């Protein structure tokens, strides 16, 4: 049984300031929590409403009631598993961006998009994701859950893009409607791909750091593509060209 203090603490993690103070983040959902448990992810605490699941992961899951789960859940419809992980932020190493495939998010503020972009980076085997400070918080509930466990497999570094990209020696591609057709671009496997926000596009500070602008040819009348959809198409074309 959870005490009132425990319920209050777990509920308080809705807010970023409390997550940062405790250095923890929340993961909810049976599928994603189970997947990470099976992979041996080092959760700090796991709460579950299923006796079968608690027995399966003996010693790792604390059994609570469905009413208690409803009280601590961050979702309108509570899931059966609720977990806490250690909040750790990585720093960018010297010349790190010169090696491998980097997906850089420039002010992508929609949490669902950021989570999906992490899944794309995971799917395509990106070396890292570079996240601008004005993008959605990596450890927000929506980002974590939209990533479907990819947050645990992809190296994510938060940094000012203009500063981080200033000394990069590999091609830096920026997705922009006025850019070159991505289908004709072959820059090799060491590259930075920058995705801007849907509403604003690439930021004024980041644009001077772009070495080549690329686009996905438009055949219809849609004004723009979802940031995650565009990233998926660009990454797929770059990886196929580099083979």
């Amino acid at each position: 049984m959870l005490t009132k203090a425990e319920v209050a603490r777990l509920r308080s993690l809705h807010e970023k300031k409390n997550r940062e103070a405790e250095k923890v983040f929340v993961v909810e959902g049976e599928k994603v929590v189970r997947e990470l448990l099976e992979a041996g992810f080092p959760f700090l605490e796991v709460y579950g409403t299923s006796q079968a699941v608690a027995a399966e992961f003996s010693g790792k899951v604390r059994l609570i009631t469905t009413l208690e789960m409803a009280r601590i859940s961050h979702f309108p419809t509570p899931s059966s598993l609720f977990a806490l992980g250690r909040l750790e932020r990585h720093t960018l190493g010297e010349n790190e961006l010169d090696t491998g495939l980097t997906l850089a998010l420039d002010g992508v503020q929609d949490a669902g998009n950021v989570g999906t972009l992490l899944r794309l980076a995971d799917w395509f085997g990106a070396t890292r994701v570079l996240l601008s400070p004005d993008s959605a918080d990596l450890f927000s509930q929506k980002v974590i859950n939209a990533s479907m466990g990819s947050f645990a497999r992809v190296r994510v570094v938060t940094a000012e893009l203009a500063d981080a990209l200033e000394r990069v020696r590999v091609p830096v591609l920026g997705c922009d409607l006025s850019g070159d057709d991505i289908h004709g671009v072959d820059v090799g496997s060491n590259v930075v791909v920058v995705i801007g926000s849907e509403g604003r596009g690439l930021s004024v500070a980041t644009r001077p750091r772009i070495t080549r602008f690329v686009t996905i040819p438009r055949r219809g009348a849609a004004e723009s593509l979802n940031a995650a959809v565009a990233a998926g198409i660009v990454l797929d074309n770059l990886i196929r060209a580099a083979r």
Side-chain angles (χ1 to χ4, degrees), residues 25-83:
F25 63 89
V26 176
V27 187
E28 279 194 74
E30 181 171 351
K31 185 179 186 301
V32 63
V33 175
R34 173 184 283 277
E35 176 188 335
L36 292 172
L37 281 170
E38 290 173 346
F41 186 79
F43 282 122
L44 301 174
E45 303 168 36
V46 184
Y47 302 87
T49 58
S50 166
Q51 289 186 340
V53 173
E56 181 182 354
F57 299 101
S58 179
K60 296 182 178 180
V61 179
R62 180 177 173 182
L63 192 62
I64 62 175
T65 67
T66 53
L67 180 58
E68 288 174 323
M69 183 64 81
R71 287 173 176 164
I72 66 172
S73 176
H74 296 186
F75 292 154
T77 302
S79 67
S80 60
L81 284 171
F82 179 108

Side-chain angles (χ1 to χ4, degrees), residues 210-226:
I210 304 298
T211 59
R212 187 173 183 179
F213 293 95
V214 295
T215 192
I216 301 159
R218 177 172 52 187
R219 308 301 182 198
E223 181 181 350
S224 63
L225 283 175
N226 171 277

Side-chain angles (χ1 to χ4, degrees), residues 147-213:
S147 79
M148 293 299 291
S150 291
F151 76 91
R153 293 183 290 268
V154 176
R155 173 173 167 78
V156 182
V157 180
T158 300
E160 292 286 353
L161 296 197
D163 295 337
L165 298 175
E166 185 175 10
R167 291 173 294 278
V168 171
R169 292 173 292 183
V170 300
V172 179
L173 306 185
C175 296
D176 187 83
L177 289 173
S178 62
D180 298 329
D181 184 345
I182 187 60
H183 298 110
V185 176
D186 181 0
V187 291
S189 56
N190 299 319
V191 60
V192 179
V193 178
V194 186
I195 301 289
S197 68
E198 289 181 53
R200 182 191 64 186
L202 298 170
S203 66
V204 173
T206 301
R207 293 184 75 88
R209 307 292 189 235
I210 304 298
T211 59
R212 187 173 183 179
F213 293 95

Side-chain angles (χ1 to χ4, degrees), residues 2-13 68 71-72:
L2 294 176
T3 66
K4 289 183 178 179
E6 288 175 319
V7 170
R9 169 189 169 245
L10 294 171
R11 285 181 60 83
S12 75
L13 298 175
E68 288 174 323
R71 287 173 176 164
I72 66 172

Side-chain angles (χ1 to χ4, degrees), residues 58-165:
S58 179
K60 296 182 178 180
V61 179
R62 180 177 173 182
L63 192 62
I64 62 175
T65 67
T66 53
L67 180 58
E68 288 174 323
M69 183 64 81
R71 287 173 176 164
I72 66 172
S73 176
H74 296 186
F75 292 154
T77 302
S79 67
S80 60
L81 284 171
F82 179 108
L84 300 184
R86 190 181 306 282
L87 193 159
E88 297 177 322
R89 297 190 186 277
H90 300 293
T91 56
L92 199 61
E94 186 176 358
N95 301 324
E96 179 180 342
L97 299 181
D98 289 335
T99 304
L101 171 60
T102 301
L103 180 61
L105 311 189
D106 183 12
V108 181
Q109 297 176 341
D110 183 273
N113 271 344
V114 172
T116 303
L117 286 158
L118 293 181
R119 290 175 67 186
L120 282 168
D122 191 11
W123 179 268
F124 286 106
T127 311
R128 68 192 65 79
V129 171
L130 186 60
L131 194 66
S132 70
D134 57 343
S135 292
D137 177 32
L138 170 63
F139 294 105
S140 74
Q141 182 74 74
K142 288 184 178 180
V143 169
I144 291 292
N145 281 82
S147 79
M148 293 299 291
S150 291
F151 76 91
R153 293 183 290 268
V154 176
R155 173 173 167 78
V156 182
V157 180
T158 300
E160 292 286 353
L161 296 197
D163 295 337
L165 298 175

